[in-house]
């Protein structure tokens, strides 16, 4: 049994060609945050015959199964990334749309403190920083 088939079965999903192709694409892509349209275009470029509606449906199934995480960057534009089991936060460049993953222990600690100080327990969180690269000034 291939690793992809195993992952689908482990998630309780039937092994179908569209699911296999989409999961293989997500696992092999250099881009870690892809929209459904990005996945669809990449499949088309690879000669795969998978419709856009199928891509949306499969990504939603993957999300429900915990295989991918959906993020809503850029004012509601959804992108998906494979669930890796480790927590990280994101920075999104407002000029290029690039998504940069990061983890900062101090930020994590402070968030827990803030939540606890207000009498709550954190069950999950998502931190997205919208950034712009600092332009270096040219020396005369």
């Amino acid at each position: 049994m291939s690793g992809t088939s195993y992952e689908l079965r482990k998630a309780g999903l039937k092994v179908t060609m569209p699911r296999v192709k989409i999961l293989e694409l997500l696992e092999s892509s250099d881009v870690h945050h892809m929209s459904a349209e990005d996945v669809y275009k990449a499949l088309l470029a690879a000669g795969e015959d998978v419709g856009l509606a199928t891509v949306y449906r499969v990504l939603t199934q993957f999300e429900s199964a915990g295989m991918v995480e959906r993020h809503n960057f850029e004012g509601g534009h959804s992108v998906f990334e494979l669930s890796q089991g480790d927590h990280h936060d994101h920075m999104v460049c407002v000029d290029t749309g690039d998504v940069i993953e990061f983890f900062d222990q101090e930020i994590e600690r402070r968030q827990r403190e803030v939540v606890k100080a207000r009498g709550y327990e954190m069950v999950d969180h998502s931190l997205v920083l919208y950034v712009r690269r600092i332009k270096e000034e040219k020396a005369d």
Side-chain angles (χ1 to χ4, degrees):
M1 179 183 330
S2 78
T4 303
S5 296
Y6 173 76
E7 290 298 317
L8 288 170
R9 286 194 178 102
K10 188 171 90 174
L13 295 172
K14 183 178 175 185
V15 178
T16 65
M17 196 53 61
R19 287 179 182 152
V20 168
K21 295 297 181 187
I22 291 169
L23 184 55
E24 286 176 346
L25 174 69
L26 292 172
E27 290 174 337
S28 66
S29 176
D30 290 337
V31 179
H32 296 281
H33 303 85
M34 298 179 78
S35 69
E37 293 83 4
D38 295 333
V39 171
Y40 173 68
K41 290 174 186 172
L43 289 169
L44 280 181
E48 301 296 339
D49 186 25
V50 178
L52 182 57
T54 300
V55 171
Y56 274 105
R57 186 173 58 254
V58 168
L59 288 171
T60 300
Q61 292 166 346
F62 285 179
E63 180 185 15
S64 295
M67 297 173 67
V68 299
E69 294 179 25
R70 177 191 308 248
H71 301 286
N72 293 311
F73 301 141
E74 302 169 33
H77 178 73
S78 293
V79 293
F80 299 85
E81 72 172 316
L82 284 174
S83 295
Q84 301 296 325
D86 61 336
H87 172 76
H88 59 268
D89 295 309
H90 298 92
M91 294 188 298
V92 178
C93 179
V94 297
D95 294 326
T96 65
D98 290 345
V99 178
I100 303 101
E101 297 177 352
F102 73 96
F103 177 81
D104 184 289
Q105 189 60 48
E106 182 66 13
I107 291 172
E108 298 301 315
R109 184 185 65 74
R110 283 291 299 135
Q111 289 176 119
R112 286 190 302 274
E113 286 177 358
V114 167
V115 169
K116 186 175 181 181
R118 286 162 176 78
Y120 290 91
E121 171 187 19
M122 187 181 323
V123 293
D124 194 11
H125 82 278
S126 173
L127 175 65
V128 180
L129 304 174
Y130 293 92
V131 300
R132 175 173 286 133
R133 187 168 296 279
I134 299 171
K135 299 194 181 356
E136 295 182 25
E137 294 187 31
K138 295 179 185 175
D140 292 328

